[in-house]
Amino acid sequence: MPQISVEYSESLTDAFDRRGFALALHAAAQELLGSAPTAFKTRFRTTGETVIGDGDPSEAMVHVGLAILPGRDAETKTKLGELTQTLLAAHLKPAADLNTQLTVEIRDLADAYSKTVIARA
């Protein structure tokens, strides 16, 4: 926990500092969520083909989904969303001729979530 999934338009590949974003988010959110740094897991995927609005190719997007353990209040989730958007914008270089939409979704992990860590030998 948390499980973080980031989908982004392929046109942003060179403009988006993905590793920097993940490391900054992990560091900044650990106190807010009360989670150890090693509990954060972030995955990145390009969306391949993306159609935004009327299909204008000058539109791009980044969507961050954060799945966190249940029990956080609405204020904490709001702060996490704002923090995520701020860090996302800071790790995205302005891309020439692109309008980029940044969205964040925060949801609770299912009650059936489980985790096992297999330590190195």
Side-chain angles (χ1 to χ4, degrees):
M1 192 293 293
Q3 299 286 333
I4 305 164
S5 298
V6 182
E7 297 176 313
Y8 61 97
S9 298
E10 198 166 328
S11 56
L12 296 173
T13 298
D14 294 334
F16 185 17
D17 177 7
R18 296 174 296 281
R19 181 173 176 79
F21 167 71
L23 293 172
L25 181 59
H26 296 181
Q30 63 184 315
E31 182 177 332
L32 181 63
L33 295 175
S35 297
T38 56
F40 288 80
K41 293 161 241 24
T42 301
R43 298 175 293 286
F44 295 91
R45 291 185 212 100
T46 59
T47 57
E49 185 175 357
T50 302
V51 178
I52 299 171
D54 63 3
D56 185 338
S58 68
E59 298 292 327
M61 51 86 50
V62 180
H63 177 75
V64 180
L66 293 107
I68 60 177
L69 290 175
R72 296 339 194 273
D73 60 23
E75 182 180 353
T76 299
K77 291 178 181 179
T78 297
K79 286 180 183 177
L80 180 59
E82 292 168 351
L83 171 69
T84 302
Q85 285 217 329
T86 298
L87 291 171
L88 190 54
H91 288 85
L92 191 63
K93 296 177 198 159
D97 302 324
L98 286 179
N99 295 317
T100 304
Q101 297 182 30
L102 309 178
T103 58
V104 177
E105 173 188 12
I106 300 169
R107 65 177 178 81
D108 290 340
L109 282 166
D111 291 334
Y113 172 80
S114 66
K115 174 181 171 180
T116 300
V117 177
I118 301 171
R120 290 179 260 184

